[in-house]
Amino acid sequence: MTMLDFIAYSGLLACIWLVTGIYIASLFYPGYSHSKQFCSELGASGCPTQKLSPAINNYPLGILFVLFGCYVVFTFNDHLPTLCIGAMIIVHGVCTWVCGYFPMDADPYTKTPTSASLVHTWLCFCPLSLHRLLSLFLTFTPRCSD
């Protein structure tokens, strides 16, 4: 397997890593509920897994997303919609990494969030919004005939 092959599979590896990392972190968070809590609460300020969760989730995932985004950008650089998708994957990876550094508050519904929690929230929100805009862009982009 070459380095390019590994990078090509980094997107698939990120999906597997995401599920596995969240599961492992939840084992060290007594009472954590996958159906009632945000994944970000695993790395929230003051929680039992505040340091563990970003180390096994955000940081490796951010690297995997950036690698896969670079693969998409450099492999399909002559197709604008795919180039945009690759760029968004890179943005998502960077935001995932930075979200690990800025933990959300232990109470996600607090009326006065800390500045770290605000950064975390905006970095979670912005890529999702950009993905929706990109979906609209791709929907209305003319198709090329080969």
Side-chain angles (χ1 to χ4, degrees):
M1 177 180 269
T2 67
M3 182 59 84
L4 188 61
D5 290 334
F6 170 75
I7 293 172
Y9 286 108
S10 62
L12 177 62
L13 182 58
C15 297
I16 295 166
W17 194 293
L18 177 67
V19 172
T20 306
I22 289 172
Y23 174 73
I24 290 170
S26 73
L27 296 176
F28 296 94
Y29 189 116
Y32 179 78
S33 170
H34 293 281
S35 62
K36 296 179 182 170
Q37 291 178 273
F38 298 111
C39 296
S40 291
E41 288 183 63
L42 289 168
S45 296
C47 80
T49 54
Q50 179 180 352
K51 299 291 184 197
L52 173 67
S53 184
I56 65 172
N57 289 319
N58 297 74
Y59 303 142
L61 282 170
I63 291 168
L64 289 171
F65 285 130
V66 169
L67 283 174
F68 185 65
C70 289
Y71 170 79
V72 171
V73 165
F74 292 120
T75 305
F76 304 100
N77 61 4
D78 58 343
H79 188 246
L80 181 61
T82 308
L83 186 66
C84 291
I85 290 170
M88 287 305 307
I89 295 169
I90 293 169
V91 168
H92 180 78
V94 171
C95 288
T96 298
W97 205 40
V98 177
C99 277
Y101 186 76
F102 292 98
M104 69 179 285
D105 294 332
D107 176 10
Y109 304 106
T110 184
K111 301 287 187 216
T112 55
T114 61
S115 58
S117 187
L118 289 172
V119 169
H120 183 95
T121 302
W122 278 104
L123 287 175
C124 288
F125 173 75
C126 289
L128 292 174
S129 299
L130 291 173
H131 287 145
R132 287 188 178 99
L133 290 174
L134 181 61
S135 296
L136 287 173
F137 169 73
L138 294 176
T139 300
F140 298 108
T141 300
R143 304 265 185 243
C144 299
S145 58
D146 292 327

